[in-house]
Amino acid sequence: MTGVSLRLDQTRWREHLQTVLGATPGLVPVAKGNGYGYGLRRLAEESAALGVDTIAVGTADEVAAVRDVFPGDIVVLTPWRPDNVLATELASDPRIITTVSRLEDLAALATDANPPRVLVEVLTSMRRHGIPAEDLAQVVSLLGKVQFEGWTIHLPLLAAGRYVEAERLARTALQASAGPLWLSHLPPEEAMALARQLGGANGDPVPFRLRVGTRLWLGDERTRSTTATVLDVHRIKRGERAGYRQRVVPADGWIIVVAGGTSHGIGLEAPTSASNVRQRVIAFATGSLEAAGLALSPYTVNGSKRWFLEPPHMQSSLLFLPRKETPPLVGDELPVELRLTTATVDHIVTE
Ligand SMILES: *Cc1c(COP(=O)(O)O)cnc(C)c1O
């Protein structure tokens, strides 16, 4: 199978998913974008197998990819806007929970004859979407005209100040109206502490849901490996040229043509910054390939990451391998390091 492949150890992956499920009360799996490398449909299937009652997708467009596979409720994380026709249509669907982040949008949805299920988003230090804490009291008069499902609080990834912020915002929201807290990026222990701290006089914790994507789907690296096929190998001498840019090759060696390029989300590393001039000088003095202006690639040959001869092409890339190395054979699979939230693979192989 030529191309970029993701091998998934399904047994181990499912063990990991079960572990996260067991450690995360009120888990709401997040299945959005490229499906964390696995695709939305597969994540919806796994969520159904986990037995959770709700999943979250990123946009209204993504609902179609999961709704036939996952039987429960579906939260749309991107806040509803009046010009989104599909989101408006979905808002009246009994399985859809719509996120609202502005007072005027809540007012617009509140006029719906068929009251939508809504989560009201509170603005956090992320400053992405949400109603500012000081305006939450104005939400109250509108909540009776929708099916209020709770407050959503999306925190930044930074741990410092996270709990204090969650507590301040959740307290303000709950003072405006009681309802479940839908939290993102708060660890389960902190969410449980928060729920108890803000719980009612009867000692019951506030009900809460925890939305998790990366930690659930990608949290255990041992469950997967990614490889790319060697498509061609050519011998080359120092001073000869190769590639789109006809770059002069810095030493004798091999050009390895390997599957994977920009269409797979494989890009160059950030170029060396000016602050790194000293390192560059050292690299030059030692005659390293970095001094020749090459960038380190995510591909491994013979146990080491290798240099791109030039920026990746659409579907393949050129690597340089020094003469003293044994080159791989056409058809060999090379390990390639992919960031799965931005990658698109050609094949997913489950074993
Ligand atoms: C994407 C998203 C998540 C999941 O984030 P991960 O870091 O992948 O766990 C949770 N909550 C909201 C609101 C999101 O948009």
Side-chain angles (χ1 to χ4, degrees):
M1 243 183 329
T2 297
V4 177
S5 301
L6 167 60
R7 270 181 193 70
L8 179 63
D9 180 339
Q10 198 146 252
T11 310
R12 207 164 190 174
W13 193 47
R14 287 179 175 158
E15 275 166 22
H16 168 73
L17 301 182
Q18 285 292 343
T19 304
V20 176
L21 175 70
T24 314
L27 175 68
V28 176
V30 175
K32 66 181 179 186
N34 73 340
Y36 293 84
Y38 297 111
L40 298 176
R41 192 182 169 86
R42 186 183 299 263
L43 301 189
E45 283 166 2
E46 293 299 327
S47 301
L50 284 175
V52 296
D53 60 5
T54 309
I55 61 171
V57 296
T59 63
D61 290 298
E62 291 169 352
V63 169
V66 303
R67 70 169 311 144
D68 297 336
V69 190
F70 180 77
D73 291 342
I74 303 167
V75 174
V76 179
L77 294 169
T78 300
W80 180 85
R81 292 291 151 97
D83 58 356
N84 190 326
V85 177
L86 179 61
T88 302
E89 219 174 276
L90 288 172
S92 57
D93 183 320
R95 280 178 62 200
I96 302 294
I97 302 177
T98 299
T99 303
V100 181
S101 70
R102 303 187 303 190
L103 274 172
E104 64 265 38
D105 295 338
L106 185 61
L109 285 169
T111 62
D112 218 313
N114 191 1
R117 302 172 69 185
V118 303
L119 288 174
V120 178
E121 181 152 9
V122 181
L123 188 66
T124 70
S125 58
M126 289 263 295
R127 295 184 196 279
R128 194 166 73 174
H129 303 297
I131 298 173
E134 59 270 26
D135 294 344
L136 291 180
Q138 298 175 55
V139 167
V140 179
S141 61
L142 296 166
L143 291 185
K145 299 174 191 143
V146 294
Q147 301 184 61
F148 178 54
E149 297 282 344
W151 300 102
T152 162
I153 299 178
H154 185 195
L155 296 160
L157 285 169
L158 219 64
R162 179 176 58 194
Y163 186 86
V164 173
E165 179 179 8
E167 195 226 312
R168 179 173 56 81
L169 296 177
R171 190 184 292 282
T172 309
L174 293 172
Q175 273 161 6
S177 176
L181 299 171
W182 294 63
L183 304 162
S184 302
H185 300 138
L186 195 66
E189 321 76 62
E190 292 186 28
M192 285 187 281
L194 181 71
R196 277 196 292 269
Q197 191 182 344
L198 300 179
N202 57 2
D204 286 347
V206 181
F208 66 89
R209 306 300 306 256
L210 295 174
R211 292 169 298 205
V212 185
T214 307
R215 186 167 59 85
L216 177 66
W217 306 120
L218 301 176
D220 185 353
E221 286 183 13
R222 296 167 310 166
T223 61
R224 62 182 183 269
S225 66
T226 41
T227 61
T229 316
V230 174
L231 304 173
D232 249 318
V233 176
H234 309 290
R235 222 164 142 169
I236 190 139
K237 292 211 179 71
R238 179 194 168 116
E240 288 180 333
R241 293 176 183 272
Y244 274 122
R245 296 169 191 224
Q246 289 294 287
R247 180 187 271 290
V248 173
V249 173
D252 289 358
W254 281 273
I255 305 273
I256 314 295
V257 186
V258 66
T262 52
S263 77
H264 301 86
I266 292 172
L268 274 185
E269 279 192 335
T272 314
S273 68
S275 65
N276 246 344
V277 168
R278 190 174 161 272
Q279 262 179 330
R280 286 225 133 209
V281 171
I282 293 167
F284 192 77
T286 56
S288 81
L289 293 168
E290 188 179 11
L294 302 195
L296 200 59
S297 83
Y299 296 91
T300 294
V301 182
N302 300 340
S304 303
K305 290 264 171 62
R306 300 298 169 170
W307 302 84
F308 278 126
L309 190 78
E310 65 179 1
H313 306 163
M314 185 73 90
Q315 283 152 334
S316 65
S317 298
L318 301 184
L319 309 179
F320 177 75
L321 189 69
R323 176 78 183 86
K324 62 176 193 296
E325 299 269 351
T326 308
L329 302 174
V330 171
D332 280 358
E333 290 287 308
L334 300 180
V336 60
E337 191 182 321
L338 293 182
R339 188 188 298 186
L340 284 177
T341 47
T342 60
T344 309
V345 300
D346 298 311
H347 318 283
I348 298 179
V349 185
T350 52
E351 44 200 34

